[in-house]
Coordinates of all heavy atoms in Angstrom, one line a residue:
M1451 N 23.3 81.2 6.8 CA 23.6 82.1 7.8 C 23.5 81.5 9.1 O 22.5 80.8 9.4 CB 22.6 83.3 7.7 CG 23.0 84.4 8.7 SD 22.8 86.0 7.9 CE 23.1 87.0 9.3
L1452 N 24.4 81.8 10.1 CA 24.4 81.4 11.4 C 24.1 82.3 12.3 O 24.6 83.5 12.1 CB 25.8 80.6 11.7 CG 26.2 79.3 11.1 CD1 27.5 78.9 11.5 CD2 25.2 78.3 11.6
S1453 N 23.5 82.1 13.4 CA 23.5 83.0 14.5 C 23.9 82.2 15.7 O 23.8 81.0 15.8 CB 22.1 83.5 14.7 OG 21.1 82.5 15.0
M1454 N 24.3 82.9 16.7 CA 24.9 82.3 17.9 C 24.0 82.9 19.1 O 23.9 84.0 19.4 CB 26.3 82.6 18.1 CG 27.2 81.9 17.3 SD 28.9 82.2 17.7 CE 29.3 83.8 17.2
A1455 N 23.7 82.0 20.0 CA 23.2 82.2 21.3 C 24.2 81.6 22.3 O 24.6 80.6 22.2 CB 21.8 81.6 21.5
W1456 N 24.7 82.6 23.1 CA 25.8 82.1 24.0 C 25.7 82.8 25.3 O 25.1 83.9 25.6 CB 27.3 82.4 23.4 CG 27.4 83.8 23.0 CD1 27.1 84.4 21.9 CD2 28.1 84.7 23.7 NE1 27.5 85.8 21.9 CE2 28.1 85.9 23.1 CE3 28.8 84.7 25.1 CZ2 28.7 87.1 23.6 CZ3 29.4 85.8 25.6 CH2 29.3 87.0 24.9
A1457 N 26.2 82.1 26.2 CA 26.3 82.6 27.7 C 27.6 82.1 28.4 O 28.0 81.1 28.0 CB 25.0 82.0 28.4
I1458 N 28.0 82.9 29.2 CA 29.3 82.6 30.0 C 28.9 82.2 31.5 O 28.1 82.8 32.0 CB 30.2 83.7 30.1 CG1 30.7 84.1 28.5 CG2 31.4 83.5 30.9 CD1 31.5 85.3 28.4
S1459 N 29.4 81.0 31.9 CA 29.0 80.5 33.0 C 29.2 81.3 34.2 O 28.4 81.5 35.1 CB 29.7 79.2 33.3 OG 31.0 79.3 33.4
A1460 N 30.2 82.2 34.2 CA 30.5 83.2 35.3 C 29.4 84.2 35.3 O 29.1 84.7 36.4 CB 31.8 83.8 35.0
A1461 N 28.7 84.4 34.4 CA 27.6 85.4 34.4 C 26.3 84.8 34.8 O 25.2 85.4 35.2 CB 27.4 86.0 33.1
G1462 N 26.3 83.4 34.8 CA 25.0 82.7 35.3 C 24.0 82.6 34.2 O 23.0 81.9 34.6
A1463 N 24.0 83.2 33.2 CA 23.0 83.2 32.2 C 23.0 82.0 31.4 O 24.0 81.6 30.7 CB 23.2 84.4 31.2
D1464 N 22.0 81.2 31.4 CA 21.7 79.9 30.7 C 22.9 78.9 31.0 O 23.2 78.1 30.1 CB 21.7 80.4 29.3 CG 20.7 79.2 28.6 OD1 19.9 78.7 29.2 OD2 20.8 79.2 27.3
A1465 N 23.5 79.1 32.1 CA 24.7 78.2 32.4 C 24.5 76.9 33.0 O 25.2 76.0 32.8 CB 25.6 78.9 33.4
Q1466 N 23.3 76.7 33.6 CA 22.9 75.4 34.2 C 24.0 74.9 35.0 O 24.4 75.5 35.9 CB 22.4 74.4 33.1 CG 21.2 75.1 32.3 CD 21.0 74.4 31.1 OE1 21.8 73.9 30.3 NE2 19.8 74.5 30.5
S1467 N 24.6 73.7 34.7 CA 25.5 73.1 35.6 C 26.9 73.2 35.1 O 27.7 72.3 35.4 CB 25.1 71.6 35.9 OG 25.2 70.8 34.6
L1468 N 27.2 74.2 34.4 CA 28.6 74.4 33.9 C 29.6 74.7 34.9 O 29.3 75.3 36.0 CB 28.6 75.6 32.9 CG 27.7 75.3 31.5 CD1 28.0 76.5 30.6 CD2 28.2 74.1 30.8
N1469 N 30.8 74.3 34.8 CA 31.8 74.5 35.7 C 32.5 75.9 35.4 O 32.4 76.4 34.3 CB 32.9 73.5 35.7 CG 32.4 72.1 36.1 OD1 31.7 72.0 37.0 ND2 32.8 71.1 35.4
T1470 N 33.2 76.5 36.4 CA 33.9 77.7 36.2 C 34.8 77.5 35.1 O 35.5 76.5 35.0 CB 34.6 78.1 37.5 OG1 33.7 78.3 38.4 CG2 35.4 79.3 37.3
G1471 N 35.0 78.4 34.3 CA 36.0 78.2 33.1 C 35.3 77.7 31.8 O 36.0 77.5 30.9
Q1472 N 34.0 77.5 31.8 CA 33.4 77.0 30.7 C 32.5 78.0 29.9 O 31.8 78.8 30.7 CB 32.6 75.8 31.0 CG 33.5 74.6 31.4 CD 32.6 73.4 31.5 OE1 31.6 73.3 32.2 NE2 33.2 72.2 31.2
V1473 N 32.5 78.0 28.6 CA 31.7 78.9 27.9 C 30.6 78.1 27.1 O 31.1 77.2 26.4 CB 32.5 79.8 27.0 CG1 31.6 80.7 26.0 CG2 33.5 80.7 27.6
Y1474 N 29.4 78.4 27.3 CA 28.2 77.7 26.6 C 28.0 78.4 25.3 O 27.7 79.6 25.4 CB 27.2 77.6 27.6 CG 25.8 77.2 27.1 CD1 25.4 75.9 27.4 CD2 25.0 78.1 26.5 CE1 24.2 75.4 26.9 CE2 23.6 77.6 26.1 CZ 23.3 76.3 26.3 OH 22.1 75.9 25.8
V1475 N 27.9 77.7 24.2 CA 27.6 78.4 22.9 C 26.5 77.5 22.2 O 26.7 76.3 22.2 CB 28.8 78.4 22.0 CG1 28.4 79.0 20.6 CG2 30.0 79.1 22.6
K1476 N 25.4 78.2 21.9 CA 24.4 77.5 21.1 C 24.3 78.0 19.8 O 24.3 79.3 19.6 CB 23.0 77.5 21.8 CG 22.0 76.7 21.1 CD 20.8 76.5 22.1 CE 19.8 75.6 21.5 NZ 18.6 75.3 22.3
V1477 N 24.3 77.2 18.8 CA 24.4 77.6 17.4 C 23.1 77.3 16.7 O 22.7 76.1 16.8 CB 25.5 77.0 16.5 CG1 25.6 77.5 15.2 CG2 27.0 77.2 17.3
L1478 N 22.5 78.3 16.1 CA 21.2 78.3 15.5 C 21.2 78.8 14.0 O 22.0 79.8 13.8 CB 20.1 79.1 16.3 CG 20.0 78.7 17.8 CD1 19.1 79.8 18.5 CD2 19.5 77.4 18.0
D1479 N 20.4 78.2 13.3 CA 20.4 78.9 11.8 C 19.4 80.0 11.8 O 18.7 80.4 12.9 CB 20.1 77.7 10.9 CG 18.6 77.2 11.0 OD1 17.9 77.8 11.7 OD2 18.4 76.1 10.4
E1480 N 19.2 80.5 10.6 CA 18.3 81.7 10.6 C 16.8 81.4 10.9 O 16.1 82.3 11.1 CB 18.5 82.3 9.1 CG 17.9 81.4 8.0 CD 18.9 80.5 7.5 OE1 20.0 80.2 8.0 OE2 18.6 80.0 6.4
H1481 N 16.4 80.2 11.0 CA 15.1 79.8 11.4 C 14.9 79.4 12.8 O 13.9 79.0 13.2 CB 14.7 78.6 10.5 CG 14.7 78.9 9.0 ND1 13.9 79.9 8.5 CD2 15.4 78.6 8.1 CE1 14.2 80.1 7.2 NE2 15.1 79.3 6.8
G1482 N 16.2 79.5 13.6 CA 16.2 79.1 14.9 C 16.4 77.6 15.1 O 16.2 77.2 16.4
N1483 N 16.7 76.9 14.2 CA 16.9 75.5 14.4 C 18.4 75.2 14.7 O 19.4 75.9 14.3 CB 16.7 74.7 13.0 CG 15.3 74.8 12.6 OD1 14.4 74.7 13.2 ND2 15.2 75.2 11.3
A1484 N 18.6 74.2 15.6 CA 20.0 73.8 16.0 C 20.8 73.4 14.9 O 20.4 72.8 14.0 CB 20.0 72.8 17.2
V1485 N 22.1 73.8 14.9 CA 23.2 73.4 13.8 C 24.0 72.3 14.6 O 24.8 72.7 15.4 CB 23.8 74.6 13.3 CG1 24.8 73.9 12.3 CG2 22.8 75.5 12.7
Q1486 N 24.0 71.1 14.1 CA 24.8 70.0 14.5 C 26.1 70.0 13.8 O 26.2 70.3 12.5 CB 24.2 68.8 14.5 CG 24.8 67.6 15.1 CD 24.0 66.3 15.0 OE1 23.0 66.1 14.5 NE2 24.5 65.2 15.7
N1487 N 27.2 69.7 14.6 CA 28.6 69.5 14.0 C 29.2 70.8 13.4 O 30.0 70.7 12.5 CB 28.6 68.4 12.9 CG 28.2 67.1 13.4 OD1 28.8 66.6 14.5 ND2 27.6 66.3 12.7
A1488 N 28.8 71.9 13.9 CA 29.4 73.2 13.6 C 30.7 73.2 14.6 O 30.7 72.8 15.7 CB 28.5 74.3 14.0
T1489 N 31.7 73.7 14.0 CA 33.0 73.9 14.8 C 33.0 75.3 15.5 O 32.7 76.4 14.8 CB 34.2 74.0 13.8 OG1 34.2 72.7 13.1 CG2 35.5 74.1 14.5
V1490 N 33.1 75.3 16.7 CA 33.2 76.5 17.6 C 34.6 76.7 18.1 O 35.1 75.8 18.7 CB 32.1 76.4 18.7 CG1 32.2 77.7 19.5 CG2 30.8 76.2 18.1
Q1491 N 35.2 77.8 17.9 CA 36.5 78.0 18.4 C 36.5 79.4 19.2 O 35.9 80.5 18.8 CB 37.5 78.2 17.2 CG 37.7 77.0 16.4 CD 38.5 77.2 15.2 OE1 38.2 78.2 14.4 NE2 39.4 76.2 14.9
A1492 N 37.4 79.4 20.3 CA 37.7 80.5 21.0 C 39.0 81.0 20.5 O 40.1 80.2 20.6 CB 37.8 80.3 22.5
I1493 N 39.2 82.2 19.9 CA 40.5 82.5 19.2 C 40.9 83.9 19.9 O 40.1 84.8 20.0 CB 40.3 82.9 17.6 CG1 39.8 81.4 17.0 CG2 41.6 83.3 17.0 CD1 39.4 81.5 15.5
T1494 N 42.2 83.8 20.3 CA 42.6 85.0 21.0 C 43.0 86.1 20.1 O 42.9 86.0 18.9 CB 44.0 84.6 21.7 OG1 45.0 84.3 20.7 CG2 43.8 83.5 22.7
N1495 N 43.2 87.3 20.7 CA 43.6 88.5 19.8 C 44.9 88.3 19.2 O 45.1 89.1 18.1 CB 43.7 89.8 20.7 CG 42.3 90.2 21.1 OD1 41.3 90.0 20.6 ND2 42.2 90.9 22.3
T1496 N 45.7 87.3 19.5 CA 46.9 87.0 18.8 C 46.8 85.9 17.8 O 47.8 85.1 17.4 CB 48.1 86.7 19.7 OG1 47.7 85.6 20.5 CG2 48.4 88.0 20.6
S1497 N 45.5 85.4 17.5 CA 45.1 84.4 16.5 C 45.4 83.0 16.9 O 45.5 82.1 16.0 CB 45.9 84.7 15.2 OG 45.3 85.9 14.6
Q1498 N 45.6 82.9 18.2 CA 45.8 81.5 18.8 C 44.5 80.8 19.1 O 43.6 81.6 19.7 CB 46.6 81.5 20.1 CG 48.0 82.1 19.8 CD 48.9 81.3 18.8 OE1 48.9 80.0 18.9 NE2 49.4 81.9 17.9
I1499 N 44.3 79.6 18.9 CA 43.1 78.9 19.2 C 43.1 78.4 20.6 O 44.0 77.6 21.0 CB 42.7 77.6 18.3 CG1 42.4 78.1 16.9 CG2 41.5 76.9 18.8 CD1 42.4 77.1 15.9
A1500 N 42.4 79.0 21.5 CA 42.3 78.7 23.0 C 41.5 77.4 23.3 O 41.8 76.8 24.3 CB 41.9 79.9 23.8
A1501 N 40.5 77.3 22.5 CA 39.5 76.2 22.7 C 38.8 75.8 21.5 O 38.5 76.8 20.7 CB 38.6 76.4 23.9
S1502 N 38.4 74.7 21.3 CA 37.5 74.3 20.1 C 36.7 73.1 20.4 O 37.1 72.3 21.3 CB 38.6 73.8 19.0 OG 37.9 73.6 17.8
A1503 N 35.4 73.0 20.0 CA 34.5 71.9 20.2 C 33.6 71.9 18.9 O 33.3 72.9 18.2 CB 33.8 72.2 21.4
L1504 N 32.8 70.8 18.8 CA 31.9 70.7 17.8 C 30.5 70.7 18.6 O 30.4 70.2 19.7 CB 32.0 69.3 17.2 CG 33.1 69.1 16.2 CD1 33.1 67.7 15.7 CD2 33.0 70.0 15.1
T1505 N 29.5 71.3 17.8 CA 28.2 71.3 18.5 C 27.5 69.9 18.4 O 27.7 69.1 17.6 CB 27.3 72.4 17.7 OG1 27.2 72.0 16.4 CG2 27.7 73.7 18.0
D1506 N 26.6 69.7 19.4 CA 26.0 68.4 19.5 C 24.6 68.6 18.7 O 24.4 69.5 18.0 CB 25.7 67.9 20.9 CG 24.8 69.0 21.7 OD1 24.1 69.9 21.2 OD2 24.9 68.8 23.0
K1507 N 23.7 67.5 18.8 CA 22.5 67.6 18.1 C 21.5 68.8 18.5 O 20.6 69.1 17.7 CB 21.7 66.3 18.2 CG 21.2 66.0 19.7 CD 20.4 64.7 19.8 CE 20.1 64.5 21.2 NZ 19.2 63.3 21.4
N1508 N 21.8 69.3 19.7 CA 21.0 70.5 20.1 C 21.6 71.8 19.8 O 21.3 72.9 20.1 CB 20.8 70.4 21.7 CG 20.1 69.2 22.0 OD1 19.0 68.8 21.4 ND2 20.7 68.4 23.0
G1509 N 22.8 71.7 19.0 CA 23.6 73.0 18.6 C 24.5 73.4 19.7 O 24.9 74.6 19.6
V1510 N 24.7 72.7 20.7 CA 25.4 73.2 21.8 C 26.9 72.8 21.9 O 27.1 71.5 21.7 CB 24.7 72.6 23.1 CG1 25.7 73.2 24.4 CG2 23.3 73.3 23.3
A1511 N 27.8 73.7 22.1 CA 29.2 73.4 22.3 C 29.6 74.0 23.5 O 29.2 75.1 23.9 CB 30.1 73.9 21.0
I1512 N 30.4 73.4 24.3 CA 31.0 73.9 25.5 C 32.6 74.0 25.4 O 33.2 73.0 25.2 CB 30.7 73.0 26.8 CG1 29.1 73.0 27.0 CG2 31.4 73.6 28.1 CD1 28.6 72.0 28.0
L1513 N 33.1 75.3 25.5 CA 34.5 75.5 25.4 C 35.0 75.7 26.9 O 34.3 76.3 27.7 CB 34.8 76.8 24.6 CG 34.3 76.8 23.2 CD1 34.4 78.1 22.6 CD2 34.9 75.7 22.3
T1514 N 36.2 75.2 27.2 CA 36.8 75.2 28.5 C 37.9 76.1 28.3 O 38.9 75.9 27.6 CB 37.2 73.8 29.0 OG1 36.0 73.0 29.2 CG2 37.8 74.0 30.4
L1515 N 38.0 77.3 29.0 CA 39.1 78.2 29.1 C 39.7 78.3 30.4 O 39.0 78.5 31.4 CB 38.5 79.6 28.6 CG 37.8 79.6 27.3 CD1 37.1 81.0 27.0 CD2 38.9 79.5 26.3
S1516 N 41.0 77.9 30.4 CA 41.7 77.9 31.9 C 42.1 79.3 32.4 O 42.4 79.4 33.5 CB 42.8 77.0 31.8 OG 43.7 77.4 30.7
T1517 N 42.0 80.3 31.5 CA 42.5 81.6 32.0 C 41.5 82.7 31.5 O 40.6 82.3 30.6 CB 43.9 82.0 31.4 OG1 43.8 82.1 29.9 CG2 45.0 80.9 31.7
N1518 N 41.7 83.9 31.9 CA 41.0 85.0 31.3 C 41.1 85.1 29.8 O 42.2 84.7 29.4 CB 41.3 86.4 31.9 CG 40.9 86.3 33.4 OD1 40.1 85.7 33.9 ND2 41.6 87.3 34.1
F1519 N 40.2 85.5 29.0 CA 40.3 85.4 27.6 C 39.6 86.6 26.9 O 38.5 87.0 27.4 CB 39.4 84.2 27.1 CG 39.2 84.1 25.6 CD1 40.3 83.5 24.9 CD2 38.1 84.5 25.1 CE1 40.2 83.4 23.5 CE2 38.1 84.4 23.6 CZ 39.1 83.8 22.9
T1520 N 40.3 87.2 26.0 CA 39.7 88.2 25.3 C 40.0 87.9 23.8 O 41.1 87.6 23.4 CB 40.5 89.7 25.6 OG1 40.1 89.9 27.0 CG2 39.8 90.7 24.6
G1521 N 39.0 87.8 23.0 CA 39.2 87.4 21.5 C 37.7 87.3 20.9 O 36.9 88.1 21.1
I1522 N 37.6 86.3 20.1 CA 36.4 86.0 19.4 C 36.0 84.5 19.7 O 36.7 83.6 19.8 CB 36.4 86.2 17.9 CG1 37.6 85.4 17.2 CG2 36.8 87.8 17.7 CD1 37.4 85.5 15.7
I1523 N 34.6 84.4 19.5 CA 34.2 83.0 19.3 C 33.8 83.0 17.9 O 33.0 83.8 17.3 CB 32.8 82.9 20.2 CG1 33.1 82.9 21.7 CG2 32.2 81.4 19.8 CD1 34.2 81.9 22.2
K1524 N 34.3 82.0 17.2 CA 34.0 81.8 15.8 C 33.3 80.5 15.5 O 33.7 79.4 16.1 CB 35.5 81.9 15.0 CG 35.4 81.7 13.5 CD 36.8 81.7 12.9 CE 36.8 81.5 11.4 NZ 38.1 81.6 10.8
V1525 N 32.3 80.5 14.7 CA 31.6 79.4 14.4 C 31.6 79.1 12.8 O 31.4 80.1 12.0 CB 30.0 79.5 14.7 CG1 29.3 78.3 14.5 CG2 30.0 79.7 16.3
T1526 N 31.9 77.9 12.5 CA 31.9 77.6 11.1 C 31.2 76.2 10.9 O 31.2 75.4 11.8 CB 33.5 77.3 10.5 OG1 34.0 76.3 11.2 CG2 34.1 78.6 10.3
A1527 N 30.5 76.1 9.8 CA 29.6 74.9 9.4 C 29.4 74.9 8.1 O 29.2 75.9 7.3 CB 28.2 74.9 10.2
D1528 N 29.4 73.7 7.5 CA 29.2 73.3 6.2 C 27.8 74.0 5.6 O 26.9 73.9 6.4 CB 29.1 71.9 5.7 CG 30.5 71.2 5.8 OD1 31.5 71.9 5.9 OD2 30.5 70.0 6.0
N1529 N 27.9 74.7 4.5 CA 26.8 75.2 3.9 C 26.3 76.6 4.6 O 25.1 76.9 4.3 CB 25.5 74.3 3.7 CG 26.0 73.1 2.8 OD1 26.8 73.2 1.7 ND2 25.7 71.9 3.3
Y1530 N 27.0 77.2 5.5 CA 26.6 78.3 6.2 C 27.8 79.3 6.2 O 29.0 79.0 6.1 CB 26.4 78.0 7.7 CG 25.1 77.2 7.9 CD1 25.3 75.7 8.2 CD2 23.9 77.7 8.0 CE1 24.1 75.0 8.4 CE2 22.8 77.0 8.3 CZ 22.8 75.7 8.5 OH 21.8 74.8 8.7
K1531 N 27.4 80.6 6.3 CA 28.3 81.7 6.4 C 29.1 81.5 7.8 O 28.3 81.1 8.7 CB 27.8 83.0 6.3 CG 27.4 83.3 4.8 CD 26.6 84.7 4.9 CE 27.3 85.7 4.1 NZ 26.5 86.9 4.0
T1532 N 30.4 82.0 7.9 CA 30.9 82.0 9.2 C 30.3 83.1 10.2 O 30.1 84.2 9.6 CB 32.5 82.3 9.0 OG1 33.0 81.1 8.2 CG2 33.2 82.3 10.4
A1533 N 30.1 82.7 11.3 CA 29.7 83.8 12.4 C 30.8 84.0 13.4 O 31.5 83.1 13.7 CB 28.4 83.2 12.9
Q1534 N 30.8 85.1 14.0 CA 31.8 85.4 15.0 C 31.3 86.5 15.9 O 30.6 87.4 15.5 CB 33.2 85.6 14.6 CG 33.4 86.8 13.8 CD 34.9 86.9 13.3 OE1 35.4 85.9 12.8 NE2 35.4 88.0 13.4
V1535 N 31.7 86.5 17.2 CA 31.4 87.6 18.1 C 32.6 87.8 19.0 O 33.3 86.8 19.4 CB 30.1 87.1 18.9 CG1 30.3 85.9 19.9 CG2 29.6 88.2 19.8
N1536 N 32.8 89.0 19.4 CA 33.8 89.4 20.3 C 33.4 89.1 21.7 O 32.2 89.4 22.1 CB 34.2 90.9 20.1 CG 34.8 91.3 18.8 OD1 35.6 90.5 18.3 ND2 34.3 92.4 18.2
I1537 N 34.4 88.6 22.5 CA 33.9 88.3 23.9 C 35.2 88.7 24.8 O 36.4 88.6 24.4 CB 33.5 86.9 24.3 CG1 34.6 86.0 24.1 CG2 32.3 86.5 23.5 CD1 34.3 84.7 24.9
T1538 N 34.8 88.9 26.0 CA 35.9 89.0 27.2 C 35.3 88.2 28.2 O 34.2 88.4 28.7 CB 36.1 90.5 27.6 OG1 36.6 91.3 26.6 CG2 37.1 90.5 28.9
F1539 N 36.2 87.1 28.6 CA 35.9 86.1 29.5 C 36.6 86.2 30.8 O 37.8 86.2 30.6 CB 35.9 84.8 29.0 CG 35.6 83.6 29.8 CD1 34.3 83.3 30.1 CD2 36.7 82.8 30.3 CE1 34.0 82.2 31.1 CE2 36.5 81.8 31.2 CZ 35.1 81.5 31.5
H1540 N 36.1 86.4 32.0 CA 36.9 86.4 33.1 C 36.8 85.0 34.0 O 35.6 84.7 34.4 CB 36.6 87.5 34.0 CG 36.8 88.9 33.4 ND1 37.9 89.4 33.3 CD2 35.8 89.7 32.8 CE1 37.9 90.6 32.5 NE2 36.7 90.7 32.3
N1541 N 37.6 84.2 33.9 CA 37.5 82.9 34.6 C 37.7 83.2 36.2 O 38.8 83.6 36.7 CB 38.7 82.0 34.2 CG 38.6 80.6 34.6 OD1 37.8 80.3 35.5 ND2 39.3 79.7 34.1
N1542 N 36.8 82.9 36.9 CA 36.7 83.2 38.4 C 37.0 81.8 39.1 O 36.4 81.6 40.1 CB 35.3 83.6 38.8 CG 35.0 85.0 38.0 OD1 35.9 85.8 38.0 ND2 33.8 85.1 37.7
K1543 N 38.2 81.1 38.9 CA 38.5 80.0 39.6 C 39.2 80.5 40.9 O 39.6 81.6 41.1 CB 39.6 79.2 39.0 CG 39.0 78.4 37.7 CD 40.1 77.5 37.3 CE 39.5 76.6 36.3 NZ 40.4 75.5 35.8

């Protein structure tokens, strides 16, 4: 089972030095351990992949979205169930 901790830079939560238009996603397993090499995708309501990235050794992936976005963040990783969350992202460029 996967869980996701995520923050959007525009909201300032856990964003650190992210640029406008970036979504920070941290992927953790059920024990709170980082999941490396998980695929993180931003998928629009029309099923288009707007951005995709792999998590690093800390379980972090950064997605860059050039426009406002409404859809899901979907995470897949070998030997884990798929996880997803609905989001609305407002790019404040």
Side-chain angles (χ1 to χ4, degrees):
M1451 176 140 182
L1452 285 175
S1453 62
M1454 284 188 286
W1456 57 277
I1458 298 173
S1459 63
D1464 215 15
Q1466 297 161 340
S1467 62
L1468 296 182
N1469 296 319
T1470 299
Q1472 292 184 321
V1473 177
Y1474 170 97
V1475 181
K1476 186 163 188 176
V1477 180
L1478 306 171
D1479 66 14
E1480 66 273 16
H1481 303 290
N1483 300 312
V1485 178
Q1486 186 174 7
N1487 294 321
T1489 300
V1490 180
Q1491 297 175 312
I1493 302 173
T1494 68
N1495 288 334
T1496 59
S1497 300
Q1498 300 297 312
I1499 297 173
S1502 182
L1504 289 176
T1505 56
D1506 63 16
K1507 67 180 180 177
N1508 299 311
V1510 174
I1512 297 174
L1513 302 175
T1514 301
L1515 299 169
S1516 59
T1517 62
N1518 292 341
F1519 173 84
T1520 299
I1522 64 169
I1523 299 295
K1524 180 179 177 180
V1525 179
T1526 56
D1528 290 342
N1529 302 315
Y1530 292 96
K1531 289 174 121 178
T1532 297
Q1534 66 184 44
V1535 63
N1536 295 319
I1537 71 162
T1538 298
F1539 174 79
H1540 299 285
N1541 189 347
N1542 294 325
K1543 284 189 175 184

